Amino acid sequence: MAYWLMKSEPDVFGIDHLAARPNQTEPWDGVRNYQARNMMRDEMRVGDQVMFYHSNTEEPGIVGIMEVARAAYPDPTAFDPEAKYYDPKSDPDDPRWFMVDVRYVRHLRRNIPLTELKQYADGPLAGLPLVRKGNRLSVLPVTPEQWDFILGLE
DNA sequence: GCCAACGTTGGC
DNA sequence: GCCAACGTTGGC
């Protein structure tokens, strides 16, 4: 089993939205970055654990845990001209964009803000893309050691 | 709202 | 294949 972190803007879709969904499960659609797609499509497995990160908000940080509920399948919003993430170059016969389904596991007992995580950028969290300046990747791998360390901050 | 960092596009 | 222009992300 592998560990991941995925970002979302809580004003658009936050962890409380996920927890309120039927089966507490939701397709993680709209990823339009090749590196993020490749990880979802090629590496994510059902049961993988994922940290839910709130970006573009008052206090960005990790707020909870979810898990992969369904492995990668084509993202239908890419085919829908009405959808925000429509991509006319994604051919239904050869889809360009993929998504996984995620299921809510739990909130953290407290949110762990990015500012706090950055304190360990040269130590236990060295190599975690999240704490590197200018990182924009919305799906990123977390090592077991990083995972345990972060949850130890909870 | 600003802007640095980064990814993508498209002309050449 | 290069790289300038552009659009987006996301912290602050």
Side-chain angles (χ1 to χ4, degrees), chain A residues 17-93:
Chain A
H17 295 105
L18 178 62
R21 284 289 192 267
N23 299 321
Q24 299 186 308
T25 299
E26 181 77 359
W28 200 265
D29 60 15
V31 172
R32 297 291 180 269
N33 170 282
Y34 290 104
Q35 216 181 329
R37 177 206 67 185
N38 291 347
M39 286 188 284
M40 286 199 298
R41 187 189 60 189
D42 304 336
E43 298 181 44
M44 275 194 188
R45 301 288 178 262
V46 170
D48 282 2
Q49 301 292 111
V50 185
M51 286 175 169
F52 198 133
Y53 177 88
H54 280 176
S55 65
N56 245 313
T57 187
E58 193 172 334
E59 187 175 67
I62 298 168
V63 298
I65 307 292
M66 49 192 173
E67 64 187 4
V68 177
R70 180 180 171 184
Y73 59 106
D75 180 345
T77 66
F79 311 133
D80 176 7
E82 303 299 311
K84 182 182 176 193
Y85 294 106
Y86 174 57
D87 179 357
K89 285 178 282 192
S90 185
D91 176 357
D93 292 328

Side-chain angles (χ1 to χ4, degrees), chain A residues 143-154:
Chain A
T143 68
E145 293 77 16
Q146 292 163 349
W147 181 275
D148 290 343
F149 179 80
I150 293 168
L151 290 188
L153 299 172
E154 191 181 353

Side-chain angles (χ1 to χ4, degrees), chain A residues 13-15 23 29 39 67 71 78 91 94 107 118 130 138-139 141:
Chain A
F13 187 82
I15 191 166
N23 299 321
D29 60 15
M39 286 188 284
E67 64 187 4
D91 176 357
D94 182 18
H107 283 68
K118 279 184 168 173
L130 185 71
S138 64
V139 176

